[in-house]
Amino acid sequence: MISNKIRVDNNLSEDDDDVPQLSIETLKTLQEFYAETEAQEKKINENWKLSQFWYDKRTSETLAKEVFLNAIEKLKTSTHFNVACVSCPTLFKTLHFYLKEAKQHTEIDNFSELVNKIDIKLFEYDKRFEIYGEDFKFYDYKNPLDFDSKLEQYFDLIISDPPYLSQECHLKTAMTIRKIAKNDLKLIVCTGAVMEDLLAASLKLRLCSFIPRHERNLANEFKCYANYQTFYLDN
């Protein structure tokens, strides 16, 4: 959600002549824009027709902390940390909240230092998420290589939750992951337990102890898989 707090200082000194000033009409337009954006965000509810199943708060928070601890580790030797959420908008919304709105996290030390160094992108079919601007990338797993070439070999960490428990969906999502991943990619996939053998064969993932849960109980058993020793998902 974009902040709608706008501070206007009417006591400008002569030294402030070069500071851009907004007219009342412009301020009103901005406030209306922020209000509309906030209203749009609140309208993005789970859509089962798109095979959307929102994570519960504990799952989103745990995955977000995993992302941030990976960022801290990577930023010891790098200037930026790039994260892709592939078909997992619930996690993206949580990451976006901490990085773009709150800009703080009570459980992560020196979190403010990470804010401008982490780039998050959402690869998602649901165009309601276009309200997130450049952070949203329209994605249809049926066309796995149809995305901006600038994102090839761009991401340090990818979290994926393919929308369908089918071999086709997972293999095509894997094609996307390989194309946008850096050579030292860290990968997390949350999906049904029935896909375990396929994930091991196609992406060399192993089972983690962490169990993703959803706001609504699902009939299928859900699991979490990764290609590295995680911070939070193997306890």
Side-chain angles (χ1 to χ4, degrees):
M1 181 176 65
I2 300 174
S3 173
N4 60 1
K5 295 180 180 178
I6 302 174
R7 184 174 66 85
V8 182
D9 190 350
N10 293 319
N11 299 314
L12 297 176
S13 67
E14 292 181 359
D15 294 335
D16 296 319
D17 288 343
D18 294 331
V19 178
Q21 300 180 44
L22 299 179
S23 67
I24 294 176
E25 291 77 11
T26 302
L27 284 173
K28 182 179 179 182
T29 301
L30 278 173
Q31 289 171 332
E32 290 174 350
F33 168 75
Y34 291 140
E36 181 180 353
T37 302
E38 182 175 353
Q40 286 179 320
E41 286 184 348
K42 291 180 179 179
K43 290 179 182 178
I44 303 180
N45 298 317
E46 183 178 80
N47 186 341
W48 284 25
K49 292 181 180 179
L50 296 178
S51 192
Q52 288 179 345
F53 305 98
W54 285 176
Y55 297 145
D56 65 11
K57 183 176 180 179
R58 170 184 167 274
T59 297
S60 294
E61 292 287 345
T62 300
L63 291 172
K65 286 189 288 185
E66 180 69 25
V67 170
F68 295 142
L69 288 183
N70 272 288
I72 290 171
E73 188 67 24
K74 182 70 174 182
L75 289 170
K76 292 177 181 178
T77 57
S78 182
T79 57
H80 287 83
F81 187 71
N82 304 323
V83 182
C85 295
V86 180
S87 304
C88 50
T90 332
L91 173 59
F92 171 80
K93 289 174 68 176
T94 301
L95 294 174
H96 188 276
F97 169 77
Y98 283 119
L99 292 170
K100 303 295 179 71
E101 299 167 46
K103 297 186 178 181
Q104 61 181 342
H105 195 300
T106 57
E107 297 183 42
I108 306 294
D109 293 336
N110 302 317
F111 184 78
S112 60
E113 298 178 6
L114 303 179
V115 170
N116 295 321
K117 298 179 181 179
I118 301 178
D119 184 23
I120 54 172
K121 302 295 184 191
L122 172 64
F123 287 67
E124 172 59 40
Y125 185 81
D126 187 350
K127 290 188 176 181
R128 291 179 298 172
F129 286 91
E130 285 181 332
I131 63 170
Y132 288 97
E134 286 299 311
D135 290 337
F136 169 82
K137 303 298 177 185
F138 176 75
Y139 174 69
D140 183 350
Y141 79 86
K142 295 179 181 178
N143 300 299
L145 303 181
D146 185 12
F147 54 82
D148 190 339
S149 61
K150 293 180 181 179
L151 298 177
E152 292 183 14
Q153 296 184 318
Y154 181 75
F155 294 100
D156 300 286
L157 174 64
I158 298 174
I159 307 94
S160 175
D161 189 340
Y164 299 101
L165 297 180
S166 70
Q167 178 172 309
E168 178 200 20
C169 181
H170 278 67
L171 289 178
K172 288 189 174 180
T173 299
M175 291 175 63
T176 303
I177 290 170
R178 293 191 195 96
K179 197 70 172 177
I180 64 177
K182 289 184 178 179
N183 291 332
D184 58 348
L185 171 78
K186 290 187 176 181
L187 174 62
I188 299 168
V189 175
C190 297
T191 189
V194 296
M195 308 309 298
E196 183 168 338
D197 291 343
L198 182 65
L199 291 174
S202 62
L203 292 169
K204 295 181 172 55
L205 301 186
R206 59 168 186 79
L207 178 66
C208 300
S209 59
F210 177 72
I211 299 177
R213 302 192 185 280
H214 301 79
E215 290 182 352
R216 306 185 190 214
N217 292 327
L218 302 183
N220 298 305
E221 183 182 14
F222 243 70
K223 297 290 186 179
C224 180
Y225 303 87
N227 70 342
Y228 69 100
Q229 185 64 40
T230 68
F231 293 95
Y232 275 102
L233 311 180
D234 289 294
N235 298 327

